[in-house]
Amino acid sequence: MSPPACHDHLKVEETPIRMVVMGEAYLQREKSDKPNRFVCLISDQGKVVLTFFTEQ
């Protein structure tokens, strides 16, 4: 597997984004037990800037 691509030009306000992570997570909800897709933005300092979940 190749290393994640660097996003030198991607920023949230003034925070540079180093990595975009996409995946699926199983969250306990009343509606269903289906996996939820997510997108997570990681800063150049290694901190989570944003995590967005959506139902499939």
Side-chain angles (χ1 to χ4, degrees):
M1 185 156 85
S2 60
C6 240
H7 300 281
D8 294 331
H9 61 281
L10 183 60
K11 289 185 177 182
V12 173
E13 293 190 10
E14 296 300 317
T15 305
I17 301 300
R18 174 176 40 167
M19 189 181 314
V20 177
V21 178
M22 298 173 66
E24 292 184 344
Y26 288 87
L27 303 174
Q28 185 173 356
R29 294 188 179 186
E30 294 179 15
K31 294 181 182 179
S32 71
D33 292 331
K34 294 180 181 179
N36 291 261
R37 290 189 178 153
F38 70 89
V39 174
C40 185
L41 303 180
I42 310 294
S43 74
D44 62 343
Q45 301 295 314
K47 298 187 182 218
V48 174
V49 175
L50 172 85
T51 302
F52 179 79
F53 288 94
T54 181
E55 292 183 25
Q56 274 185 301

